[in-house]
mmCIF file of all heavy atoms in Angstrom:
data_model
loop_
_atom_site.group_PDB
_atom_site.id
_atom_site.type_symbol
_atom_site.label_atom_id
_atom_site.label_comp_id
_atom_site.label_asym_id
_atom_site.label_seq_id
_atom_site.Cartn_x
_atom_site.Cartn_y
_atom_site.Cartn_z
ATOM 1 N N PRO A 167 118.321 -72.244 -125.942
ATOM 2 C CA PRO A 167 117.304 -72.955 -126.738
ATOM 3 C C PRO A 167 116.163 -72.068 -127.202
ATOM 4 O O PRO A 167 115.412 -72.447 -128.098
ATOM 5 C CB PRO A 167 116.816 -74.048 -125.782
ATOM 6 C CG PRO A 167 117.139 -73.556 -124.416
ATOM 7 C CD PRO A 167 118.408 -72.768 -124.566
ATOM 8 N N LEU A 168 116.039 -70.881 -126.605
ATOM 9 C CA LEU A 168 114.980 -69.951 -126.997
ATOM 10 C C LEU A 168 115.469 -68.850 -127.941
ATOM 11 O O LEU A 168 114.725 -67.925 -128.260
ATOM 12 C CB LEU A 168 114.348 -69.305 -125.756
ATOM 13 C CG LEU A 168 113.693 -70.267 -124.764
ATOM 14 C CD1 LEU A 168 113.118 -69.501 -123.588
ATOM 15 C CD2 LEU A 168 112.612 -71.111 -125.434
ATOM 16 N N ALA A 169 116.716 -68.973 -128.409
ATOM 17 C CA ALA A 169 117.297 -67.912 -129.238
ATOM 18 C C ALA A 169 116.479 -67.658 -130.501
ATOM 19 O O ALA A 169 116.297 -66.506 -130.918
ATOM 20 C CB ALA A 169 118.737 -68.257 -129.607
ATOM 21 N N GLY A 170 115.973 -68.696 -131.140
ATOM 22 C CA GLY A 170 115.189 -68.517 -132.361
ATOM 23 C C GLY A 170 113.879 -67.800 -132.104
ATOM 24 O O GLY A 170 113.483 -66.901 -132.865
ATOM 25 N N LEU A 171 113.204 -68.174 -131.034
ATOM 26 C CA LEU A 171 111.953 -67.501 -130.695
ATOM 27 C C LEU A 171 112.207 -66.057 -130.278
ATOM 28 O O LEU A 171 111.404 -65.161 -130.593
ATOM 29 C CB LEU A 171 111.234 -68.251 -129.577
ATOM 30 C CG LEU A 171 110.691 -69.645 -129.933
ATOM 31 C CD1 LEU A 171 109.953 -70.241 -128.749
ATOM 32 C CD2 LEU A 171 109.789 -69.597 -131.156
ATOM 33 N N ASN A 172 113.308 -65.821 -129.591
ATOM 34 C CA ASN A 172 113.649 -64.439 -129.218
ATOM 35 C C ASN A 172 113.893 -63.582 -130.460
ATOM 36 O O ASN A 172 113.512 -62.403 -130.504
ATOM 37 C CB ASN A 172 114.891 -64.425 -128.329
ATOM 38 C CG ASN A 172 114.612 -64.970 -126.939
ATOM 39 O OD1 ASN A 172 113.473 -64.977 -126.474
ATOM 40 N ND2 ASN A 172 115.648 -65.441 -126.271
ATOM 41 N N GLU A 173 114.514 -64.178 -131.489
ATOM 42 C CA GLU A 173 114.748 -63.442 -132.736
ATOM 43 C C GLU A 173 113.422 -63.155 -133.445
ATOM 44 O O GLU A 173 113.217 -62.051 -133.975
ATOM 45 C CB GLU A 173 115.672 -64.245 -133.646
ATOM 46 C CG GLU A 173 115.815 -63.709 -135.071
ATOM 47 C CD GLU A 173 116.338 -62.285 -135.152
ATOM 48 O OE1 GLU A 173 116.955 -61.796 -134.181
ATOM 49 O OE2 GLU A 173 116.132 -61.648 -136.206
ATOM 50 N N ILE A 174 112.519 -64.117 -133.455
ATOM 51 C CA ILE A 174 111.204 -63.887 -134.050
ATOM 52 C C ILE A 174 110.481 -62.760 -133.316
ATOM 53 O O ILE A 174 109.893 -61.856 -133.934
ATOM 54 C CB ILE A 174 110.362 -65.181 -134.014
ATOM 55 C CG1 ILE A 174 110.910 -66.189 -135.033
ATOM 56 C CG2 ILE A 174 108.891 -64.885 -134.307
ATOM 57 C CD1 ILE A 174 110.229 -67.541 -134.990
ATOM 58 N N ALA A 175 110.538 -62.784 -131.980
ATOM 59 C CA ALA A 175 109.882 -61.743 -131.183
ATOM 60 C C ALA A 175 110.490 -60.380 -131.464
ATOM 61 O O ALA A 175 109.774 -59.370 -131.562
ATOM 62 C CB ALA A 175 109.990 -62.081 -129.698
ATOM 63 N N ARG A 176 111.811 -60.331 -131.639
ATOM 64 C CA ARG A 176 112.487 -59.062 -131.947
ATOM 65 C C ARG A 176 111.990 -58.510 -133.275
ATOM 66 O O ARG A 176 111.723 -57.301 -133.397
ATOM 67 C CB ARG A 176 113.998 -59.280 -131.989
ATOM 68 C CG ARG A 176 114.803 -57.993 -132.199
ATOM 69 C CD ARG A 176 116.216 -58.281 -132.659
ATOM 70 N NE ARG A 176 116.256 -58.887 -133.983
ATOM 71 C CZ ARG A 176 116.086 -58.219 -135.121
ATOM 72 N NH1 ARG A 176 115.848 -56.904 -135.086
ATOM 73 N NH2 ARG A 176 116.146 -58.838 -136.276
ATOM 74 N N GLN A 177 111.852 -59.381 -134.271
ATOM 75 C CA GLN A 177 111.385 -58.937 -135.580
ATOM 76 C C GLN A 177 109.939 -58.436 -135.521
ATOM 77 O O GLN A 177 109.580 -57.456 -136.185
ATOM 78 C CB GLN A 177 111.497 -60.078 -136.588
ATOM 79 C CG GLN A 177 112.917 -60.473 -136.945
ATOM 80 C CD GLN A 177 112.954 -61.575 -137.998
ATOM 81 O OE1 GLN A 177 112.077 -61.676 -138.853
ATOM 82 N NE2 GLN A 177 113.978 -62.417 -137.936
ATOM 83 N N ILE A 178 109.098 -59.100 -134.738
ATOM 84 C CA ILE A 178 107.700 -58.673 -134.619
ATOM 85 C C ILE A 178 107.625 -57.286 -133.984
ATOM 86 O O ILE A 178 106.876 -56.416 -134.436
ATOM 87 C CB ILE A 178 106.897 -59.706 -133.804
ATOM 88 C CG1 ILE A 178 106.767 -61.013 -134.603
ATOM 89 C CG2 ILE A 178 105.519 -59.168 -133.430
ATOM 90 C CD1 ILE A 178 106.181 -62.170 -133.819
ATOM 91 N N ALA A 179 108.432 -57.079 -132.943
ATOM 92 C CA ALA A 179 108.462 -55.759 -132.307
ATOM 93 C C ALA A 179 108.986 -54.711 -133.277
ATOM 94 O O ALA A 179 108.470 -53.574 -133.335
ATOM 95 C CB ALA A 179 109.335 -55.812 -131.049
ATOM 96 N N ALA A 180 110.009 -55.087 -134.072
ATOM 97 C CA ALA A 180 110.571 -54.150 -135.045
ATOM 98 C C ALA A 180 109.585 -53.814 -136.150
ATOM 99 O O ALA A 180 109.707 -52.773 -136.811
ATOM 100 C CB ALA A 180 111.853 -54.742 -135.641
ATOM 101 N N ALA A 181 108.588 -54.687 -136.366
ATOM 102 C CA ALA A 181 107.560 -54.424 -137.376
ATOM 103 C C ALA A 181 106.512 -53.440 -136.882
ATOM 104 O O ALA A 181 105.557 -53.137 -137.605
ATOM 105 C CB ALA A 181 106.898 -55.736 -137.791
ATOM 106 N N GLY A 182 106.683 -52.938 -135.656
ATOM 107 C CA GLY A 182 105.776 -51.915 -135.140
ATOM 108 C C GLY A 182 104.635 -52.431 -134.291
ATOM 109 O O GLY A 182 103.742 -51.674 -133.903
ATOM 110 N N ILE A 183 104.658 -53.727 -133.979
ATOM 111 C CA ILE A 183 103.596 -54.303 -133.155
ATOM 112 C C ILE A 183 103.988 -54.206 -131.681
ATOM 113 O O ILE A 183 105.010 -54.740 -131.260
ATOM 114 C CB ILE A 183 103.327 -55.772 -133.547
ATOM 115 C CG1 ILE A 183 102.822 -55.835 -134.994
ATOM 116 C CG2 ILE A 183 102.322 -56.417 -132.600
ATOM 117 C CD1 ILE A 183 102.648 -57.243 -135.527
ATOM 118 N N LYS A 184 103.155 -53.497 -130.913
ATOM 119 C CA LYS A 184 103.419 -53.321 -129.488
ATOM 120 C C LYS A 184 102.430 -54.098 -128.619
ATOM 121 O O LYS A 184 102.690 -54.340 -127.439
ATOM 122 C CB LYS A 184 103.352 -51.835 -129.131
ATOM 123 C CG LYS A 184 104.396 -50.983 -129.860
ATOM 124 C CD LYS A 184 104.246 -49.513 -129.510
ATOM 125 C CE LYS A 184 105.284 -48.668 -130.261
ATOM 126 N NZ LYS A 184 105.126 -47.217 -129.933
#
Side-chain angles (χ1 to χ4, degrees):
L168 300 180
L171 293 182
N172 289 337
E173 170 59 20
I174 288 175
R176 184 198 66 77
Q177 291 182 31
I178 292 171
I183 297 175
K184 298 178 181 179

